[in-house]
Amino acid sequence: MTFSAINNDRFSITTPLYYVNDLPHIGSAYTTIAADVIARFNRLQGKPVLMITGTDEHGQKIQRTAEALGRSPQEHCDQVVAGFKSLWDQLNIQYDRFSRTTATRHEAIVNEFFQRVWEQGDIYLGQQQGWYCVSCEEFKEDRDLLDGHRCSIHTNREAEWRDEQNYFFRLSKYQHQLEQLYQEQPEFIQPESRRNEVLSFVNRGLQDFSVSRVNMDWGFPVPVDPNHTLYVWFDALLAYVTALLEPEDEPTLEKALSYWWPISIHLIGKDILRFHAVYWPAMLMSAGLPVSCRVFGHGFLTKDGQKMGKSLGNVIDPVELISRYGSDAVRYYFLKEIEFGRDGDFSELRFVNTLNADLANDLGNLLNRTLKMVQKYCDRNVPSVAGNDIVDSDLLKSKGLILAKEVTQAYEALAFSHACEAIFALVRASNKYIDEQAPWTLYKQGQQATVEQVLYTVLETVRLAAYLLSPIIPNISNAVYRQLGFSVDFNQKEIGAAIAFDDHARWGILPSGQALGDPEPIFRRLDPPAE
Ligand code: MSP
């Protein structure tokens, strides 16, 4: 049995739809940066891409937050949504759809989907008893709770006891089909450690979960019983589907699922794995729809080794970080310094050191001094050398020829730090190369042809590095490309059509004689943080 009809000719990716109880934090920024990088890499390869982000606006948590602030829930949501959109602009996120669960046409999709599941006999009325964490919007099992019924994720909050009539979704019915999915599509849950977590959860036996709430009206009414409000997660997951509609489309499942479905990757944090890797595919199976292709659960960020939290007073404000260091710096740090999938730490000192070492020194200085040498020893143009003039065994060329393959595999596996390591290994090798070849001595010896070959080889290697880094640091890649004489904008969505991946990911394409730009620092050294 095939569970998802995978399309390799187009690519769709989602971030979680963020709760709007508060302004976006660094955790939401982390997932969104990663999703943007994957979307950009696919665009670079010339694929049609759809990147979806958005907000999850219903439920008790949002209702209570709005009440506490003396706002209507909708007014509150609108304000916070503006904050999300502005952060994504500042972070240079190229999303295609911003899906809000309060969008009018979302309700039509939710109703149609509910009806399908209802007709399968997969929804029934029952009694729900248990501890509910409003911050997670989830009933907790005893083993997930700390003493005093505190949630293990929101440790300063007590879960609330509930004993009420709810509608339930027959998750238990899908036990076998889910096991089959995990077996036949092993890449469905990644990385491996998360897959194992899910398998052991499912092996313990699945229990039906409630999909409605009473005494809470900030949400859609249950279509078959308006005294109940639909559970926020049931409605939120479906907003991935609503997001697929074109602006002029009728809001029907058929329309929504006609082109981009199934989603290629749902990118999420590890805390919401169960919803995406267990509940969501079961809901889709019940509705008779193909499931998504891949769910990737990344790790959690800590600050200076400590869990982040408002009460701990150590939250990182993404807006402040970007205004101080710029979007490329923030994007680079989180993807290079943290192995994607594992937990990772932010420390300002490490941040500054990493950026200075990699972007200012290794890459920036290399380009700068090479361009200055070209000005001095050649003229203002790319030396009259072609990639083919350099022997294949040349230290940089031989590595450059195989770099794109390694980096492509790394991006596809979402191993961003590995992609950066591979690229920077070549950048560091280039620094060593130029020191060892010493064009200044060759020049004095009158070996002009060799000087030109060495400088060409280094410039071409820097170009390739900038090209392959462009999904992560598009502005810096733009600066490198412009100084090398190209007029290319890595921030344009049609980049894959503007410059072909098959050309630019190859070592040896820098056009001989191309007029170079003025050498200018591409990344200014950062001062160490104040103690
Ligand atoms: N609304 C749900 C998602 C519904 S998707 C249909 C939700 N929203 S959230 O705003 O609470 O969380 C969004 C994401 O932020 C999750 O992927 C979560 O893992 C991530 N993070 C929250 N804190 C985090 C860190 N400290 N570090 C990294 N990511 C973290 O859940």
Side-chain angles (χ1 to χ4, degrees), residues 16-19 25 27 56 233 236 240 268-269 271-272 298-301:
L17 306 177
Y18 302 107
Y19 284 130
H25 50 71
D56 184 358
W233 268 100
Y240 292 143
I268 54 164
D271 54 328
I272 53 175
H298 66 67
F300 259 48
L301 302 176

Side-chain angles (χ1 to χ4, degrees), residues 110-347:
V110 171
N111 286 347
E112 190 185 339
F113 188 93
F114 185 95
Q115 205 58 37
R116 281 194 181 215
V117 176
W118 176 258
E119 280 161 16
Q120 281 301 309
D122 285 345
I123 289 181
Y124 64 93
L125 195 59
Q127 190 69 20
Q128 171 77 64
Q129 278 189 334
W131 294 99
Y132 191 71
C133 170
V134 176
S135 296
C136 292
E137 294 280 14
E138 185 180 16
F139 277 101
K140 297 283 168 179
E141 292 178 35
D142 282 344
R143 66 166 160 261
D144 295 331
L145 292 172
L146 308 174
D147 56 321
H149 303 109
R150 284 174 307 125
C151 164
S152 57
I153 299 172
H154 304 96
T155 46
N156 53 351
R157 303 266 164 80
E158 272 184 36
E160 300 172 15
W161 178 252
R162 299 281 163 87
D163 184 357
E164 59 189 38
Q165 269 213 325
N166 284 170
Y167 284 92
F168 282 75
F169 172 71
R170 236 179 263 287
L171 181 65
S172 54
K173 182 174 151 188
Y174 293 92
Q175 172 93 27
H176 178 64
Q177 259 177 276
L178 285 171
E179 284 167 349
Q180 240 184 323
L181 163 69
Y182 306 144
Q183 206 183 6
E184 288 175 20
Q185 230 170 277
E187 70 291 351
F188 178 68
I189 309 165
Q190 290 176 334
E192 190 67 22
S193 55
R194 305 277 176 254
R195 177 176 143 82
N196 293 337
E197 272 170 43
V198 171
L199 293 187
S200 82
F201 171 74
V202 173
N203 281 342
R204 293 203 296 262
L206 291 173
Q207 287 175 13
D208 300 346
F209 69 95
S210 60
V211 293
S212 76
R213 298 288 179 267
V214 286
N215 306 321
M216 207 286 293
D217 56 11
W218 181 235
F220 297 132
V222 169
V224 295
D225 184 348
N227 292 323
H228 287 249
T229 300
L230 207 56
Y231 174 39
V232 56
W233 268 100
F234 193 91
D235 137 22
L237 288 160
L238 281 163
Y240 292 143
V241 172
T242 308
L244 304 176
L245 290 166
E246 295 297 328
E248 66 284 358
D249 280 348
E250 281 283 299
T252 65
L253 280 176
E254 195 191 349
K255 274 271 181 224
L257 300 172
S258 64
Y259 184 75
W260 292 105
W261 192 261
I263 297 291
S264 314
I265 305 183
H266 289 301
L267 206 61
I268 54 164
K270 61 181 181 179
D271 54 328
I272 53 175
L273 191 61
R274 217 175 268 182
F275 293 100
H276 287 80
V278 183
Y279 295 9
W280 181 222
M283 285 161 61
L284 289 162
M285 286 169 183
S286 167
L289 300 172
V291 306
S292 318
C293 305
R294 203 166 152 196
V295 174
F296 192 104
H298 66 67
F300 259 48
L301 302 176
T302 50
K303 165 104 187 286
D304 302 315
Q306 278 201 319
K307 194 176 160 173
M308 265 180 283
K310 271 195 177 164
S311 51
L312 294 166
N314 67 346
V315 284
I316 306 168
D317 177 3
V319 174
E320 199 186 303
L321 209 58
I322 303 162
S323 67
R324 208 161 345 135
Y325 300 113
S327 61
D328 276 12
V330 176
R331 296 165 66 100
Y332 183 74
Y333 176 82
F334 285 107
L335 294 192
K336 152 76 189 328
E337 282 297 290
I338 298 163
E339 194 184 323
F340 202 63
R342 290 181 181 254
D343 292 346
D345 192 49
F346 175 88
S347 109

Side-chain angles (χ1 to χ4, degrees), residues 2 11 26 89 113 146 232 240 262 333-334 355 463 510 526:
T2 15
F11 181 82
I26 200 73
D89 288 346
F113 188 93
L146 308 174
V232 56
Y240 292 143
Y333 176 82
F334 285 107
L355 296 165
R463 181 205 61 77
L510 186 62
L526 307 173

